[in-house]
């Protein structure tokens, strides 16, 4: 999965990771908060986006999606 984050300084950060069936949007969003990539107030929104992406990936077996979030 690839995440494209646009930071307050208008710079983009691209994060890429492999996900497994044991990964969840909630756990991945928690890590993004822990490492300072997203605000804790945005955690649930990002978790939902990641969960939706993971669900679509499993159902359609399509290439990984790009999630864009403005931080």
């Amino acid at each position: 999965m690839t995440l494209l984050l646009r930071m307050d300084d208008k710079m983009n950060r691209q994060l890429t990771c492999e996900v497994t069936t044991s990964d969840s949007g909630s756990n991945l969003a928690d890590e993004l908060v822990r490492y300072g990539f997203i605000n804790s107030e945005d955690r649930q929104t990002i978790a939902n986006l990641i969960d939706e992406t993971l669900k679509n990936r499993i159902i359609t077996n399509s290439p990984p999606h790009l999630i864009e979030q403005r931080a």
Side-chain angles (χ1 to χ4, degrees):
M1 178 176 2
T2 298
L3 301 172
L4 179 62
L5 304 172
R6 179 158 304 153
M7 309 306 264
D8 287 337
D9 63 2
K10 306 297 185 219
M11 296 297 289
N12 293 332
R13 306 293 190 277
Q14 183 173 319
L15 306 175
T16 303
C17 70
E18 292 195 27
V19 291
T20 65
T21 55
S22 64
D23 288 319
S24 71
S26 182
N27 290 342
L28 294 170
D30 286 341
E31 285 188 29
L32 291 170
V33 170
R34 184 174 340 139
Y35 293 111
F37 287 106
I38 64 171
N39 188 300
S40 61
E41 294 176 3
D42 296 326
R43 193 196 81 63
Q44 190 58 50
T45 302
I46 300 301
N48 292 341
L49 287 169
I50 294 172
D51 277 335
E52 186 68 24
T53 299
L54 292 175
K55 182 172 39 170
N56 288 339
R57 172 81 169 114
I58 292 169
I59 291 172
T60 63
N61 198 21
S62 62
H65 294 78
L66 179 69
I67 301 173
E68 183 171 346
Q69 175 66 29
R70 294 176 191 259

